[in-house]
Amino acid sequence: QVQLVESGGGLVQSGGSLRLSCAASRTSFSIGTMAWYHQAPGKQRALVASITSSGTTTYADSVKGRFTISRNNARYTVSLQMNSLEPEDTGIYYCNAYMRSSYIWGQGTQVTVSS
C-alpha cells in the first residue's frame, strides 16, 4: 500500500519560512492531484494548495503570494514552500494524493509560528 511521509515542519518566528516535503512510497501507479491541507488547533482540516499531475495549481486565498506548491512526478514528491509565515499558519499540515480512485493521507507535520 502506498504511504505518504511528510517532513520539514518545525518552529519558526512570524515572517519566517519553512519548506514542507512529502514523499510517496514507490508505486507503479500514477498519482493524480496532490495537495496540502492545514488543520489549525480546534478547527477542521482545510485545503491550502493543490497541484495536478500536469502542474496546474490552486491556492487558498489566505496563502496566495506567500506559499508555493510544486511536485516532482519522477520522484513521487510534492513540496510546499511557505514564506512570510503568520501565527495563523500554525497547525498540522497534511499531504494528500489521489491515486487509484482513492485519497491517501500522510501522518501530518507540525508547524508552529510564534509572534
Side-chain angles (χ1 to χ4, degrees):
Q1 184 175 356
V2 175
Q3 293 182 325
L4 300 176
V5 179
E6 299 103 332
S7 61
L11 172 65
V12 65
Q13 288 187 333
S14 181
S17 299
L18 283 174
R19 184 176 180 85
L20 305 183
S21 296
C22 172
S25 56
R26 186 176 301 179
T27 174
S28 59
F29 300 99
S30 61
I31 300 177
T33 297
M34 302 184 79
W36 287 95
Y37 284 74
H38 171 227
Q39 186 164 20
K43 296 187 177 181
Q44 290 188 332
R45 199 174 298 186
L47 178 67
V48 173
S50 66
I51 183 168
T52 68
S53 57
S54 59
T56 300
T57 59
T58 59
Y59 294 93
D61 288 342
S62 60
V63 306
K64 285 181 180 178
R66 299 190 299 124
F67 291 9
T68 302
I69 189 171
S70 60
R71 67 187 283 172
N72 184 319
N73 291 330
R75 297 184 177 182
Y76 302 104
T77 61
V78 62
S79 299
L80 185 69
Q81 177 66 42
M82 305 187 296
N83 299 327
S84 302
L85 283 162
E86 305 167 352
E88 293 74 22
D89 297 318
T90 293
I92 302 174
Y93 284 76
Y94 295 91
C95 176
N96 172 271
Y98 184 72
M99 191 178 75
R100 298 187 70 189
S101 301
S102 297
Y103 290 96
I104 303 170
W105 293 91
Q107 82 288 353
T109 185
Q110 176 70 43
V111 171
T112 303
V113 184
S114 63
S115 57

